[in-house]
Amino acid sequence: MQGRVSIVTGGSRGIGRAVAVELGKEGGLVVVNYQGRLEEARETAHQIEQAGGRAIVEQADVSVASDAQRLVESALAAFGRLDVVVNNAGITRDNLLLRIKDEDWEAVVNTNLRGAFNLIRAAARPMMKQRFGRIINVSSVVALTGNAGQANYVAAKAGLIGLTKTAAREFASRNITVNAVAPGFIQTEMTAALGDEAHLKMVEQIPAGRAGTPQDVAGAVAFLASDAAAYITGQVLNIDGGMVM
């Protein structure tokens, strides 16, 4: 990643922070996007700089097209190019399907799916011009299996897989790869809220016998962003300890 420029959405904590730091190691240049957690985003940038990279933090709500465009323009203004986009920003508003409110459906789909679409569309133009790009979308294993109580989240993450495959077909001739990662049960603030009992039940379903870590996801994203993955596009890589086979 020496000298390569990355945007990581939702980079203030959890998987997004781990990915941003991994991409920033040894000379990577990272735009750490956040929506409302400025201090956490600054901490991510600090960790990137400690790891030998450079970073700036940029506030943007990528579900708004103009914000996504501004985020890309900020990367170009700061670093002169854009090589990698990681669409990680995501929220949940869990409830049974019959109880999901319209606003909760729209909020989840807008952030998790529309946000990725907006940023891909904005980033594609400079990537096509330079004839190089790596786009990695953070989906979820529930996009492949379904999950009771998460109809909005699952629909958005499944849509993200379809978006990945279509973008991969459209951009391949310009040396732009588009792939997705599908994390399973990963130890983050979001999963910590489930409590110890739910945590143990989830781990029982994982052949590897443990929950994943944000770093497990970050390593896979860094691989897909690297030259080693130049001939991989339109794929979904499960990072789940064997939870879904």
Side-chain angles (χ1 to χ4, degrees):
M1 298 306 298
Q2 178 69 39
R4 286 194 176 164
V5 179
S6 305
I7 292 175
V8 180
T9 66
S12 61
R13 57 179 177 156
I15 290 172
R17 172 177 287 176
V19 167
V21 173
E22 188 68 24
L23 294 178
K25 282 183 179 178
E26 301 176 3
L29 313 172
V30 184
V31 178
V32 180
N33 162 248
Y34 72 99
Q35 184 171 351
R37 295 172 176 262
L38 174 58
E39 292 307 314
E40 290 92 336
R42 286 174 173 167
E43 174 58 27
T44 301
H46 175 67
Q47 291 184 24
I48 291 167
E49 289 164 358
Q50 284 189 318
R54 291 172 57 198
I56 61 172
V57 299
E58 287 290 335
Q59 193 281 334
D61 178 356
V62 291
S63 70
V64 178
S66 59
D67 272 26
Q69 182 65 44
R70 177 171 54 80
L71 186 59
V72 169
E73 290 171 356
S74 295
L76 296 173
F79 300 123
R81 59 184 291 120
L82 176 59
D83 301 294
V84 180
V85 165
V86 181
N87 283 304
N88 168 74
I91 62 171
T92 58
R93 296 286 188 274
D94 295 350
N95 213 330
L96 294 175
L97 190 150
L98 294 178
R99 297 177 181 173
I100 292 177
K101 297 177 181 178
D102 289 351
E103 55 266 32
D104 290 337
W105 174 273
E106 291 165 5
V108 170
V109 172
N110 283 345
T111 298
N112 297 16
L113 182 56
R114 184 190 295 272
F117 164 73
N118 285 340
L119 191 54
I120 290 170
R121 183 173 57 178
R125 287 184 174 86
M127 287 183 173
M128 291 173 74
K129 187 175 181 180
Q130 68 195 19
R131 298 190 70 85
F132 179 86
R134 300 282 187 267
I135 298 170
I136 301 104
N137 298 318
V138 180
S139 182
S140 170
V141 293
V142 300
L144 306 173
T145 65
N147 195 35
Q150 287 195 308
N152 47 4
Y153 183 79
V154 171
K157 291 296 189 180
L160 198 52
I161 290 175
L163 177 62
T164 297
K165 292 179 179 291
T166 297
R169 288 185 179 275
E170 292 189 7
F171 301 151
S173 65
R174 298 299 183 98
N175 196 31
I176 301 169
T177 65
V178 189
N179 292 288
V181 294
F185 188 61
I186 307 296
Q187 291 177 324
T188 63
E189 285 183 31
M190 191 180 294
T191 57
L194 297 174
D196 292 341
E197 184 177 348
H199 184 278
L200 289 173
K201 287 182 178 179
M202 290 297 296
V203 170
E204 287 174 358
Q205 302 175 44
I206 302 171
R210 68 171 178 87
T213 68
Q215 190 57 43
D216 290 325
V217 182
V221 171
F223 165 68
L224 291 172
S226 74
D227 289 338
Y231 200 54
I232 300 172
T233 196
Q235 302 304 306
V236 182
L237 177 59
N238 289 7
I239 308 167
D240 61 1
M243 189 177 182
V244 176
M245 295 189 187

mmCIF file with all atom_site columns, all heavy atoms in Angstrom, residues 218-244:
data_model
loop_
_atom_site.group_PDB
_atom_site.id
_atom_site.type_symbol
_atom_site.label_atom_id
_atom_site.label_alt_id
_atom_site.label_comp_id
_atom_site.label_asym_id
_atom_site.label_entity_id
_atom_site.label_seq_id
_atom_site.pdbx_PDB_ins_code
_atom_site.Cartn_x
_atom_site.Cartn_y
_atom_site.Cartn_z
_atom_site.occupancy
_atom_site.B_iso_or_equiv
_atom_site.pdbx_formal_charge
_atom_site.auth_seq_id
_atom_site.auth_comp_id
_atom_site.auth_asym_id
_atom_site.auth_atom_id
_atom_site.pdbx_PDB_model_num
ATOM 1   N N   . ALA A 1 218 ? -9.769  -6.860  8.492   1.00 0.00 ? 218 ALA A N   1
ATOM 2   C CA  . ALA A 1 218 ? -8.835  -5.899  7.909   1.00 0.00 ? 218 ALA A CA  1
ATOM 3   C C   . ALA A 1 218 ? -7.791  -6.593  7.038   1.00 0.00 ? 218 ALA A C   1
ATOM 4   O O   . ALA A 1 218 ? -7.418  -6.092  5.969   1.00 0.00 ? 218 ALA A O   1
ATOM 5   C CB  . ALA A 1 218 ? -8.150  -5.095  9.015   1.00 0.00 ? 218 ALA A CB  1
ATOM 6   N N   . GLY A 1 219 ? -7.319  -7.758  7.474   1.00 0.00 ? 219 GLY A N   1
ATOM 7   C CA  . GLY A 1 219 ? -6.328  -8.472  6.683   1.00 0.00 ? 219 GLY A CA  1
ATOM 8   C C   . GLY A 1 219 ? -6.871  -8.894  5.334   1.00 0.00 ? 219 GLY A C   1
ATOM 9   O O   . GLY A 1 219 ? -6.174  -8.810  4.305   1.00 0.00 ? 219 GLY A O   1
ATOM 10  N N   . ALA A 1 220 ? -8.118  -9.334  5.303   1.00 0.00 ? 220 ALA A N   1
ATOM 11  C CA  . ALA A 1 220 ? -8.740  -9.744  4.041   1.00 0.00 ? 220 ALA A CA  1
ATOM 12  C C   . ALA A 1 220 ? -8.967  -8.549  3.121   1.00 0.00 ? 220 ALA A C   1
ATOM 13  O O   . ALA A 1 220 ? -8.755  -8.635  1.906   1.00 0.00 ? 220 ALA A O   1
ATOM 14  C CB  . ALA A 1 220 ? -10.061 -10.454 4.322   1.00 0.00 ? 220 ALA A CB  1
ATOM 15  N N   . VAL A 1 221 ? -9.388  -7.438  3.691   1.00 0.00 ? 221 VAL A N   1
ATOM 16  C CA  . VAL A 1 221 ? -9.598  -6.231  2.886   1.00 0.00 ? 221 VAL A CA  1
ATOM 17  C C   . VAL A 1 221 ? -8.275  -5.764  2.289   1.00 0.00 ? 221 VAL A C   1
ATOM 18  O O   . VAL A 1 221 ? -8.193  -5.391  1.104   1.00 0.00 ? 221 VAL A O   1
ATOM 19  C CB  . VAL A 1 221 ? -10.244 -5.118  3.730   1.00 0.00 ? 221 VAL A CB  1
ATOM 20  C CG1 . VAL A 1 221 ? -10.258 -3.796  2.962   1.00 0.00 ? 221 VAL A CG1 1
ATOM 21  C CG2 . VAL A 1 221 ? -11.660 -5.506  4.130   1.00 0.00 ? 221 VAL A CG2 1
ATOM 22  N N   . ALA A 1 222 ? -7.220  -5.773  3.104   1.00 0.00 ? 222 ALA A N   1
ATOM 23  C CA  . ALA A 1 222 ? -5.907  -5.347  2.613   1.00 0.00 ? 222 ALA A CA  1
ATOM 24  C C   . ALA A 1 222 ? -5.436  -6.237  1.470   1.00 0.00 ? 222 ALA A C   1
ATOM 25  O O   . ALA A 1 222 ? -4.834  -5.760  0.507   1.00 0.00 ? 222 ALA A O   1
ATOM 26  C CB  . ALA A 1 222 ? -4.894  -5.357  3.752   1.00 0.00 ? 222 ALA A CB  1
ATOM 27  N N   . PHE A 1 223 ? -5.712  -7.538  1.565   1.00 0.00 ? 223 PHE A N   1
ATOM 28  C CA  . PHE A 1 223 ? -5.354  -8.450  0.466   1.00 0.00 ? 223 PHE A CA  1
ATOM 29  C C   . PHE A 1 223 ? -6.098  -8.064  -0.810  1.00 0.00 ? 223 PHE A C   1
ATOM 30  O O   . PHE A 1 223 ? -5.501  -7.954  -1.888  1.00 0.00 ? 223 PHE A O   1
ATOM 31  C CB  . PHE A 1 223 ? -5.674  -9.889  0.847   1.00 0.00 ? 223 PHE A CB  1
ATOM 32  C CG  . PHE A 1 223 ? -5.682  -10.830 -0.321  1.00 0.00 ? 223 PHE A CG  1
ATOM 33  C CD1 . PHE A 1 223 ? -4.511  -11.142 -0.998  1.00 0.00 ? 223 PHE A CD1 1
ATOM 34  C CD2 . PHE A 1 223 ? -6.871  -11.390 -0.771  1.00 0.00 ? 223 PHE A CD2 1
ATOM 35  C CE1 . PHE A 1 223 ? -4.528  -11.993 -2.106  1.00 0.00 ? 223 PHE A CE1 1
ATOM 36  C CE2 . PHE A 1 223 ? -6.896  -12.239 -1.869  1.00 0.00 ? 223 PHE A CE2 1
ATOM 37  C CZ  . PHE A 1 223 ? -5.712  -12.542 -2.533  1.00 0.00 ? 223 PHE A CZ  1
ATOM 38  N N   . LEU A 1 224 ? -7.400  -7.840  -0.715  1.00 0.00 ? 224 LEU A N   1
ATOM 39  C CA  . LEU A 1 224 ? -8.188  -7.491  -1.903  1.00 0.00 ? 224 LEU A CA  1
ATOM 40  C C   . LEU A 1 224 ? -7.777  -6.136  -2.483  1.00 0.00 ? 224 LEU A C   1
ATOM 41  O O   . LEU A 1 224 ? -7.975  -5.879  -3.665  1.00 0.00 ? 224 LEU A O   1
ATOM 42  C CB  . LEU A 1 224 ? -9.679  -7.489  -1.561  1.00 0.00 ? 224 LEU A CB  1
ATOM 43  C CG  . LEU A 1 224 ? -10.284 -8.862  -1.276  1.00 0.00 ? 224 LEU A CG  1
ATOM 44  C CD1 . LEU A 1 224 ? -11.717 -8.726  -0.759  1.00 0.00 ? 224 LEU A CD1 1
ATOM 45  C CD2 . LEU A 1 224 ? -10.242 -9.758  -2.516  1.00 0.00 ? 224 LEU A CD2 1
ATOM 46  N N   . ALA A 1 225 ? -7.197  -5.278  -1.650  1.00 0.00 ? 225 ALA A N   1
ATOM 47  C CA  . ALA A 1 225 ? -6.733  -3.974  -2.118  1.00 0.00 ? 225 ALA A CA  1
ATOM 48  C C   . ALA A 1 225 ? -5.329  -4.045  -2.727  1.00 0.00 ? 225 ALA A C   1
ATOM 49  O O   . ALA A 1 225 ? -4.877  -3.066  -3.330  1.00 0.00 ? 225 ALA A O   1
ATOM 50  C CB  . ALA A 1 225 ? -6.728  -2.977  -0.960  1.00 0.00 ? 225 ALA A CB  1
ATOM 51  N N   . SER A 1 226 ? -4.659  -5.180  -2.602  1.00 0.00 ? 226 SER A N   1
ATOM 52  C CA  . SER A 1 226 ? -3.263  -5.289  -2.993  1.00 0.00 ? 226 SER A CA  1
ATOM 53  C C   . SER A 1 226 ? -3.101  -5.772  -4.429  1.00 0.00 ? 226 SER A C   1
ATOM 54  O O   . SER A 1 226 ? -4.046  -6.244  -5.066  1.00 0.00 ? 226 SER A O   1
ATOM 55  C CB  . SER A 1 226 ? -2.541  -6.263  -2.054  1.00 0.00 ? 226 SER A CB  1
ATOM 56  O OG  . SER A 1 226 ? -2.912  -7.604  -2.356  1.00 0.00 ? 226 SER A OG  1
ATOM 57  N N   . ASP A 1 227 ? -1.875  -5.706  -4.927  1.00 0.00 ? 227 ASP A N   1
ATOM 58  C CA  . ASP A 1 227 ? -1.572  -6.211  -6.259  1.00 0.00 ? 227 ASP A CA  1
ATOM 59  C C   . ASP A 1 227 ? -1.749  -7.731  -6.340  1.00 0.00 ? 227 ASP A C   1
ATOM 60  O O   . ASP A 1 227 ? -1.977  -8.264  -7.428  1.00 0.00 ? 227 ASP A O   1
ATOM 61  C CB  . ASP A 1 227 ? -0.139  -5.840  -6.646  1.00 0.00 ? 227 ASP A CB  1
ATOM 62  C CG  . ASP A 1 227 ? 0.017   -4.351  -6.911  1.00 0.00 ? 227 ASP A CG  1
ATOM 63  O OD1 . ASP A 1 227 ? -1.001  -3.689  -7.205  1.00 0.00 ? 227 ASP A OD1 1
ATOM 64  O OD2 . ASP A 1 227 ? 1.145   -3.841  -6.810  1.00 0.00 ? 227 ASP A OD2 1
ATOM 65  N N   . ALA A 1 228 ? -1.634  -8.404  -5.207  1.00 0.00 ? 228 ALA A N   1
ATOM 66  C CA  . ALA A 1 228 ? -1.793  -9.865  -5.199  1.00 0.00 ? 228 ALA A CA  1
ATOM 67  C C   . ALA A 1 228 ? -3.198  -10.285 -5.610  1.00 0.00 ? 228 ALA A C   1
ATOM 68  O O   . ALA A 1 228 ? -3.410  -11.424 -6.034  1.00 0.00 ? 228 ALA A O   1
ATOM 69  C CB  . ALA A 1 228 ? -1.463  -10.426 -3.813  1.00 0.00 ? 228 ALA A CB  1
ATOM 70  N N   . ALA A 1 229 ? -4.174  -9.378  -5.486  1.00 0.00 ? 229 ALA A N   1
ATOM 71  C CA  . ALA A 1 229 ? -5.567  -9.677  -5.824  1.00 0.00 ? 229 ALA A CA  1
ATOM 72  C C   . ALA A 1 229 ? -5.994  -9.042  -7.142  1.00 0.00 ? 229 ALA A C   1
ATOM 73  O O   . ALA A 1 229 ? -7.186  -8.876  -7.399  1.00 0.00 ? 229 ALA A O   1
ATOM 74  C CB  . ALA A 1 229 ? -6.486  -9.208  -4.698  1.00 0.00 ? 229 ALA A CB  1
ATOM 75  N N   . ALA A 1 230 ? -5.040  -8.739  -8.001  1.00 0.00 ? 230 ALA A N   1
ATOM 76  C CA  . ALA A 1 230 ? -5.341  -8.015  -9.238  1.00 0.00 ? 230 ALA A CA  1
ATOM 77  C C   . ALA A 1 230 ? -6.264  -8.784  -10.173 1.00 0.00 ? 230 ALA A C   1
ATOM 78  O O   . ALA A 1 230 ? -6.955  -8.185  -10.997 1.00 0.00 ? 230 ALA A O   1
ATOM 79  C CB  . ALA A 1 230 ? -4.039  -7.675  -9.962  1.00 0.00 ? 230 ALA A CB  1
ATOM 80  N N   . TYR A 1 231 ? -6.290  -10.117 -10.060 1.00 0.00 ? 231 TYR A N   1
ATOM 81  C CA  . TYR A 1 231 ? -7.114  -10.932 -10.962 1.00 0.00 ? 231 TYR A CA  1
ATOM 82  C C   . TYR A 1 231 ? -8.357  -11.475 -10.252 1.00 0.00 ? 231 TYR A C   1
ATOM 83  O O   . TYR A 1 231 ? -8.968  -12.438 -10.688 1.00 0.00 ? 231 TYR A O   1
ATOM 84  C CB  . TYR A 1 231 ? -6.266  -12.081 -11.523 1.00 0.00 ? 231 TYR A CB  1
ATOM 85  C CG  . TYR A 1 231 ? -6.804  -12.703 -12.798 1.00 0.00 ? 231 TYR A CG  1
ATOM 86  C CD1 . TYR A 1 231 ? -7.094  -11.921 -13.911 1.00 0.00 ? 231 TYR A CD1 1
ATOM 87  C CD2 . TYR A 1 231 ? -7.028  -14.076 -12.875 1.00 0.00 ? 231 TYR A CD2 1
ATOM 88  C CE1 . TYR A 1 231 ? -7.588  -12.482 -15.072 1.00 0.00 ? 231 TYR A CE1 1
ATOM 89  C CE2 . TYR A 1 231 ? -7.519  -14.659 -14.040 1.00 0.00 ? 231 TYR A CE2 1
ATOM 90  C CZ  . TYR A 1 231 ? -7.795  -13.859 -15.137 1.00 0.00 ? 231 TYR A CZ  1
ATOM 91  O OH  . TYR A 1 231 ? -8.279  -14.426 -16.288 1.00 0.00 ? 231 TYR A OH  1
ATOM 92  N N   . ILE A 1 232 ? -8.733  -10.841 -9.181  1.00 0.00 ? 232 ILE A N   1
ATOM 93  C CA  . ILE A 1 232 ? -9.924  -11.227 -8.417  1.00 0.00 ? 232 ILE A CA  1
ATOM 94  C C   . ILE A 1 232 ? -10.921 -10.077 -8.485  1.00 0.00 ? 232 ILE A C   1
ATOM 95  O O   . ILE A 1 232 ? -10.631 -8.961  -8.060  1.00 0.00 ? 232 ILE A O   1
ATOM 96  C CB  . ILE A 1 232 ? -9.580  -11.528 -6.945  1.00 0.00 ? 232 ILE A CB  1
ATOM 97  C CG1 . ILE A 1 232 ? -8.571  -12.663 -6.847  1.00 0.00 ? 232 ILE A CG1 1
ATOM 98  C CG2 . ILE A 1 232 ? -10.854 -11.860 -6.153  1.00 0.00 ? 232 ILE A CG2 1
ATOM 99  C CD1 . ILE A 1 232 ? -8.040  -12.892 -5.445  1.00 0.00 ? 232 ILE A CD1 1
ATOM 100 N N   . THR A 1 233 ? -12.098 -10.331 -9.018  1.00 0.00 ? 233 THR A N   1
ATOM 101 C CA  . THR A 1 233 ? -13.132 -9.298  -9.043  1.00 0.00 ? 233 THR A CA  1
ATOM 102 C C   . THR A 1 233 ? -14.510 -9.945  -9.067  1.00 0.00 ? 233 THR A C   1
ATOM 103 O O   . THR A 1 233 ? -14.670 -11.077 -9.538  1.00 0.00 ? 233 THR A O   1
ATOM 104 C CB  . THR A 1 233 ? -12.939 -8.339  -10.237 1.00 0.00 ? 233 THR A CB  1
ATOM 105 O OG1 . THR A 1 233 ? -13.727 -7.154  -10.025 1.00 0.00 ? 233 THR A OG1 1
ATOM 106 C CG2 . THR A 1 233 ? -13.306 -8.979  -11.570 1.00 0.00 ? 233 THR A CG2 1
ATOM 107 N N   . GLY A 1 234 ? -15.476 -9.248  -8.509  1.00 0.00 ? 234 GLY A N   1
ATOM 108 C CA  . GLY A 1 234 ? -16.847 -9.740  -8.453  1.00 0.00 ? 234 GLY A CA  1
ATOM 109 C C   . GLY A 1 234 ? -17.058 -10.851 -7.444  1.00 0.00 ? 234 GLY A C   1
ATOM 110 O O   . GLY A 1 234 ? -18.066 -11.565 -7.518  1.00 0.00 ? 234 GLY A O   1
ATOM 111 N N   . GLN A 1 235 ? -16.165 -10.976 -6.467  1.00 0.00 ? 235 GLN A N   1
ATOM 112 C CA  . GLN A 1 235 ? -16.230 -12.085 -5.528  1.00 0.00 ? 235 GLN A CA  1
ATOM 113 C C   . GLN A 1 235 ? -16.693 -11.621 -4.147  1.00 0.00 ? 235 GLN A C   1
ATOM 114 O O   . GLN A 1 235 ? -16.569 -10.456 -3.790  1.00 0.00 ? 235 GLN A O   1
ATOM 115 C CB  . GLN A 1 235 ? -14.861 -12.755 -5.405  1.00 0.00 ? 235 GLN A CB  1
ATOM 116 C CG  . GLN A 1 235 ? -14.315 -13.261 -6.729  1.00 0.00 ? 235 GLN A CG  1
ATOM 117 C CD  . GLN A 1 235 ? -15.268 -14.209 -7.422  1.00 0.00 ? 235 GLN A CD  1
ATOM 118 O OE1 . GLN A 1 235 ? -15.704 -15.205 -6.837  1.00 0.00 ? 235 GLN A OE1 1
ATOM 119 N NE2 . GLN A 1 235 ? -15.608 -13.910 -8.680  1.00 0.00 ? 235 GLN A NE2 1
ATOM 120 N N   . VAL A 1 236 ? -17.206 -12.589 -3.381  1.00 0.00 ? 236 VAL A N   1
ATOM 121 C CA  . VAL A 1 236 ? -17.605 -12.351 -1.995  1.00 0.00 ? 236 VAL A CA  1
ATOM 122 C C   . VAL A 1 236 ? -16.791 -13.283 -1.114  1.00 0.00 ? 236 VAL A C   1
ATOM 123 O O   . VAL A 1 236 ? -16.867 -14.509 -1.254  1.00 0.00 ? 236 VAL A O   1
ATOM 124 C CB  . VAL A 1 236 ? -19.105 -12.615 -1.776  1.00 0.00 ? 236 VAL A CB  1
ATOM 125 C CG1 . VAL A 1 236 ? -19.490 -12.322 -0.333  1.00 0.00 ? 236 VAL A CG1 1
ATOM 126 C CG2 . VAL A 1 236 ? -19.949 -11.777 -2.738  1.00 0.00 ? 236 VAL A CG2 1
ATOM 127 N N   . LEU A 1 237 ? -15.986 -12.721 -0.239  1.00 0.00 ? 237 LEU A N   1
ATOM 128 C CA  . LEU A 1 237 ? -15.121 -13.501 0.640   1.00 0.00 ? 237 LEU A CA  1
ATOM 129 C C   . LEU A 1 237 ? -15.709 -13.528 2.035   1.00 0.00 ? 237 LEU A C   1
ATOM 130 O O   . LEU A 1 237 ? -15.783 -12.495 2.701   1.00 0.00 ? 237 LEU A O   1
ATOM 131 C CB  . LEU A 1 237 ? -13.720 -12.889 0.652   1.00 0.00 ? 237 LEU A CB  1
ATOM 132 C CG  . LEU A 1 237 ? -12.684 -13.537 1.573   1.00 0.00 ? 237 LEU A CG  1
ATOM 133 C CD1 . LEU A 1 237 ? -12.487 -15.013 1.222   1.00 0.00 ? 237 LEU A CD1 1
ATOM 134 C CD2 . LEU A 1 237 ? -11.354 -12.779 1.499   1.00 0.00 ? 237 LEU A CD2 1
ATOM 135 N N   . ASN A 1 238 ? -16.143 -14.716 2.465   1.00 0.00 ? 238 ASN A N   1
ATOM 136 C CA  . ASN A 1 238 ? -16.671 -14.857 3.826   1.00 0.00 ? 238 ASN A CA  1
ATOM 137 C C   . ASN A 1 238 ? -15.518 -14.858 4.825   1.00 0.00 ? 238 ASN A C   1
ATOM 138 O O   . ASN A 1 238 ? -14.529 -15.561 4.654   1.00 0.00 ? 238 ASN A O   1
ATOM 139 C CB  . ASN A 1 238 ? -17.438 -16.165 3.972   1.00 0.00 ? 238 ASN A CB  1
ATOM 140 C CG  . ASN A 1 238 ? -18.758 -16.165 3.236   1.00 0.00 ? 238 ASN A CG  1
ATOM 141 O OD1 . ASN A 1 238 ? -19.060 -15.230 2.507   1.00 0.00 ? 238 ASN A OD1 1
ATOM 142 N ND2 . ASN A 1 238 ? -19.537 -17.203 3.417   1.00 0.00 ? 238 ASN A ND2 1
ATOM 143 N N   . ILE A 1 239 ? -15.683 -14.075 5.893   1.00 0.00 ? 239 ILE A N   1
ATOM 144 C CA  . ILE A 1 239 ? -14.692 -14.023 6.970   1.00 0.00 ? 239 ILE A CA  1
ATOM 145 C C   . ILE A 1 239 ? -15.441 -14.367 8.243   1.00 0.00 ? 239 ILE A C   1
ATOM 146 O O   . ILE A 1 239 ? -15.928 -13.491 8.966   1.00 0.00 ? 239 ILE A O   1
ATOM 147 C CB  . ILE A 1 239 ? -14.055 -12.633 7.061   1.00 0.00 ? 239 ILE A CB  1
ATOM 148 C CG1 . ILE A 1 239 ? -13.525 -12.209 5.677   1.00 0.00 ? 239 ILE A CG1 1
ATOM 149 C CG2 . ILE A 1 239 ? -12.912 -12.631 8.072   1.00 0.00 ? 239 ILE A CG2 1
ATOM 150 C CD1 . ILE A 1 239 ? -13.177 -10.759 5.591   1.00 0.00 ? 239 ILE A CD1 1
ATOM 151 N N   . ASP A 1 240 ? -15.622 -15.664 8.475   1.00 0.00 ? 240 ASP A N   1
ATOM 152 C CA  . ASP A 1 240 ? -16.593 -16.073 9.494   1.00 0.00 ? 240 ASP A CA  1
ATOM 153 C C   . ASP A 1 240 ? -16.204 -17.321 10.281  1.00 0.00 ? 240 ASP A C   1
ATOM 154 O O   . ASP A 1 240 ? -17.035 -17.881 10.983  1.00 0.00 ? 240 ASP A O   1
ATOM 155 C CB  . ASP A 1 240 ? -17.955 -16.322 8.818   1.00 0.00 ? 240 ASP A CB  1
ATOM 156 C CG  . ASP A 1 240 ? -17.891 -17.441 7.784   1.00 0.00 ? 240 ASP A CG  1
ATOM 157 O OD1 . ASP A 1 240 ? -16.828 -18.039 7.580   1.00 0.00 ? 240 ASP A OD1 1
ATOM 158 O OD2 . ASP A 1 240 ? -18.956 -17.722 7.181   1.00 0.00 ? 240 ASP A OD2 1
ATOM 159 N N   . GLY A 1 241 ? -14.953 -17.765 10.162  1.00 0.00 ? 241 GLY A N   1
ATOM 160 C CA  . GLY A 1 241 ? -14.528 -18.951 10.902  1.00 0.00 ? 241 GLY A CA  1
ATOM 161 C C   . GLY A 1 241 ? -15.266 -20.210 10.516  1.00 0.00 ? 241 GLY A C   1
ATOM 162 O O   . GLY A 1 241 ? -15.324 -21.162 11.293  1.00 0.00 ? 241 GLY A O   1
ATOM 163 N N   . GLY A 1 242 ? -15.833 -20.235 9.317   1.00 0.00 ? 242 GLY A N   1
ATOM 164 C CA  . GLY A 1 242 ? -16.559 -21.415 8.856   1.00 0.00 ? 242 GLY A CA  1
ATOM 165 C C   . GLY A 1 242 ? -18.027 -21.425 9.199   1.00 0.00 ? 242 GLY A C   1
ATOM 166 O O   . GLY A 1 242 ? -18.730 -22.413 8.988   1.00 0.00 ? 242 GLY A O   1
ATOM 167 N N   . MET A 1 243 ? -18.528 -20.303 9.686   1.00 0.00 ? 243 MET A N   1
ATOM 168 C CA  . MET A 1 243 ? -19.942 -20.228 10.104  1.00 0.00 ? 243 MET A CA  1
ATOM 169 C C   . MET A 1 243 ? -20.903 -20.512 8.956   1.00 0.00 ? 243 MET A C   1
ATOM 170 O O   . MET A 1 243 ? -21.931 -21.168 9.127   1.00 0.00 ? 243 MET A O   1
ATOM 171 C CB  . MET A 1 243 ? -20.195 -18.835 10.684  1.00 0.00 ? 243 MET A CB  1
ATOM 172 C CG  . MET A 1 243 ? -21.525 -18.629 11.351  1.00 0.00 ? 243 MET A CG  1
ATOM 173 S SD  . MET A 1 243 ? -21.582 -16.952 12.029  1.00 0.00 ? 243 MET A SD  1
ATOM 174 C CE  . MET A 1 243 ? -23.194 -16.975 12.805  1.00 0.00 ? 243 MET A CE  1
ATOM 175 N N   . VAL A 1 244 ? -20.566 -20.015 7.778   1.00 0.00 ? 244 VAL A N   1
ATOM 176 C CA  . VAL A 1 244 ? -21.401 -20.263 6.588   1.00 0.00 ? 244 VAL A CA  1
ATOM 177 C C   . VAL A 1 244 ? -20.512 -20.909 5.539   1.00 0.00 ? 244 VAL A C   1
ATOM 178 O O   . VAL A 1 244 ? -19.524 -20.338 5.102   1.00 0.00 ? 244 VAL A O   1
ATOM 179 C CB  . VAL A 1 244 ? -21.982 -18.928 6.049   1.00 0.00 ? 244 VAL A CB  1
ATOM 180 C CG1 . VAL A 1 244 ? -22.752 -19.186 4.763   1.00 0.00 ? 244 VAL A CG1 1
ATOM 181 C CG2 . VAL A 1 244 ? -22.868 -18.267 7.090   1.00 0.00 ? 244 VAL A CG2 1
#
